[in-house]
Amino acid sequence: MGDKSDKHGARLDDQLRHETEGLVRGGGPTHAERGNDPEPVETDAGRDPTAASSSRTVGAPPGMSPEDVADRSEFAKVLAGARYPATPDQLSAHVADEGAPDVAVRALGDLPKRQYDGLPEVMDALGYGHETERF
């Protein structure tokens, strides 16, 4: 049978070999590589993509600082897996079991005594808030 495969037939084997020849030899583009070159964008001319740009906004929702976002994120991590609705005591016990810092355990324990239906309500009560629209 030689080096031909009987899976496709001789003609299809020859066509496949021809199509992949450039890939095997490391030569120029084949039909599979056409169009992979990115097209230039006129607005990028002369711009250093690694340079800091003053036109970019900080990744924080309106009314929140980047530090607020980081603190809120840490609370969200330790509150992951909490069951809602939950009371402040239940939330405090949950984060204590998760190994959260004492300041977080106290902050949750000091929340107004009521049922919280989810993380956004807890974050609002802690004073962090949450974004109402996506960027």
Side-chain angles (χ1 to χ4, degrees), residues 37-60:
D37 293 333
E39 294 186 18
V41 178
E42 289 185 32
T43 58
D44 285 347
R47 185 175 87 71
D48 180 7
T50 61
S53 172
S54 61
S55 65
R56 297 179 74 185
T57 58
V58 177

Side-chain angles (χ1 to χ4, degrees), residues 15-80:
Q15 181 182 353
L16 291 172
R17 186 179 311 105
H18 174 73
E19 289 176 358
T20 59
E21 186 175 7
L23 294 173
V24 173
R25 290 188 183 182
T30 64
H31 78 284
E33 295 176 357
R34 283 187 212 128
N36 284 348
D37 293 333
E39 294 186 18
V41 178
E42 289 185 32
T43 58
D44 285 347
R47 185 175 87 71
D48 180 7
T50 61
S53 172
S54 61
S55 65
R56 297 179 74 185
T57 58
V58 177
M64 292 182 73
S65 71
E67 292 79 21
D68 291 339
V69 173
D71 291 344
R72 183 181 71 170
S73 177
E74 290 303 315
F75 267 109
K77 285 178 189 174
V78 295
L79 282 168

Side-chain angles (χ1 to χ4, degrees), residues 86-96 105 108-114 116:
T87 65
D89 293 335
Q90 291 169 327
L91 293 170
S92 180
H94 173 77
V95 299
V105 175
L108 290 168
D110 291 342
L111 287 173
K113 304 298 181 205
R114 68 177 188 87
Y116 294 89

